Amino acid sequence: MVIPPNVYVSRHPLVQHKLTLLRNIATEPKKFRELIRELAVLLGYEATQDLRLCDHQVTTPLAQVTGKHLQDKIGLVPILRSGLGMVDGIWEMMPGAEVWHIGLYRDHETLQPVQYYNKLPIIPTVQVCLILDPMLATGGSAVATCQILKEWGAKRIKFVGIIAAPEGIMRLSEEHPDVDIHIAAIDDHLTPPPSKPGDPPEGYIVPGLGDAGDRQFGTA
């Protein structure tokens, strides 16, 4: 596939190393959660390289110096439930960020997102929103979340995930070309509709890592 200009795939060695551990079917939930958190820190670092700064004067033990202060206020928007695992890592890096939750689940018949929870304040209180979701599969949940945030009044939105399918990237890029997508890997394809008993459900990323929510919370 031709990668759209708004898509940034990390090439950091630590990201690629931790991603391989995350994919492993033998990785238990505790370690899986730790890896999600660690990858969120690394990907969040890359996704926030263009945040705006302003001059800020401080006094060191020896002299005054003009440094930099973060001008943009950040909002973290994890898509429930798998996005929850990414919050703590980025929050430690940016403890002043606000955290809001949007609950969406994918209807297994239609593969369309269904909203069941929204905890946004009445008006926007930040300049940049980071949508957090480990998997960008069909793209339905990400597209819906972007639309919710734009209707709410968000001016700048970024998607931070771990693994994406080409189908999800193309859908999100086409419907929201102004939203940057930061991920660790682009995988091969999505699973087709099952043709026989025992086939994996439709719409899972291949090779992927399975269901990120189930693997985090031990409910697989």
Side-chain angles (χ1 to χ4, degrees), residues 133-149:
D133 194 351
M135 311 297 279
L136 181 59
T138 64
S141 294
V143 166
T145 302
C146 287
Q147 191 60 40
I148 291 169
L149 291 174

Side-chain angles (χ1 to χ4, degrees), residues 85-158:
M86 300 181 68
V87 172
D88 283 348
I90 297 181
W91 215 359
E92 285 185 18
M93 185 171 62
M94 296 183 292
E98 299 180 9
V99 180
W100 311 307
H101 300 90
I102 292 179
L104 297 166
Y105 69 87
R106 184 171 61 176
D107 185 293
H108 288 292
E109 296 295 327
T110 66
L111 298 185
Q112 296 303 307
V114 178
Q115 181 180 333
Y116 65 91
Y117 188 76
N118 183 329
K119 197 60 176 175
L120 294 172
I122 296 175
I123 59 174
T125 54
V126 300
Q127 287 74 51
V128 181
C129 292
L130 302 182
I131 299 173
L132 309 179
D133 194 351
M135 311 297 279
L136 181 59
T138 64
S141 294
V143 166
T145 302
C146 287
Q147 191 60 40
I148 291 169
L149 291 174
K150 287 182 177 181
E151 291 174 358
W152 173 60
K155 300 302 183 185
R156 193 173 181 204
I157 303 169
K158 294 171 178 269

Side-chain angles (χ1 to χ4, degrees), residues 19 22-24 135 163 187-189 204-210 215:
L19 176 59
L22 193 71
R23 291 186 189 274
N24 191 341
M135 311 297 279
I163 296 176
D187 276 11
D188 192 64
H189 64 278
Y204 274 62
I205 300 175
V206 180
L209 48 75
R215 293 194 65 186

Side-chain angles (χ1 to χ4, degrees), residues 23-179:
R23 291 186 189 274
N24 191 341
I25 193 173
T27 299
E28 296 182 351
K30 179 178 183 295
K31 182 62 176 177
F32 192 92
R33 290 192 298 270
E34 292 171 354
L35 289 165
I36 289 281
R37 176 185 167 279
E38 292 163 3
L39 282 164
V41 173
L42 293 166
L43 292 166
Y45 171 82
E46 294 187 352
T48 54
Q49 290 187 80
D50 60 351
L51 295 181
R52 294 181 302 163
L53 297 169
C54 58
D55 290 341
H56 185 70
Q57 193 172 66
V58 297
T59 303
T60 78
L62 301 177
Q64 283 193 331
V65 62
T66 300
K68 298 295 180 182
H69 190 81
L70 193 62
Q71 186 172 343
D72 289 324
K73 192 168 184 180
I74 312 300
L76 307 181
V77 187
I79 299 178
L80 302 179
R81 65 180 169 151
S82 59
L84 290 173
M86 300 181 68
V87 172
D88 283 348
I90 297 181
W91 215 359
E92 285 185 18
M93 185 171 62
M94 296 183 292
E98 299 180 9
V99 180
W100 311 307
H101 300 90
I102 292 179
L104 297 166
Y105 69 87
R106 184 171 61 176
D107 185 293
H108 288 292
E109 296 295 327
T110 66
L111 298 185
Q112 296 303 307
V114 178
Q115 181 180 333
Y116 65 91
Y117 188 76
N118 183 329
K119 197 60 176 175
L120 294 172
I122 296 175
I123 59 174
T125 54
V126 300
Q127 287 74 51
V128 181
C129 292
L130 302 182
I131 299 173
L132 309 179
D133 194 351
M135 311 297 279
L136 181 59
T138 64
S141 294
V143 166
T145 302
C146 287
Q147 191 60 40
I148 291 169
L149 291 174
K150 287 182 177 181
E151 291 174 358
W152 173 60
K155 300 302 183 185
R156 193 173 181 204
I157 303 169
K158 294 171 178 269
F159 177 90
V160 183
I162 295 176
I163 296 176
E167 296 92 332
I169 286 177
M170 296 311 298
R171 181 175 178 185
L172 181 54
S173 295
E174 288 171 0
E175 298 200 32
H176 297 285
D178 56 331
V179 173

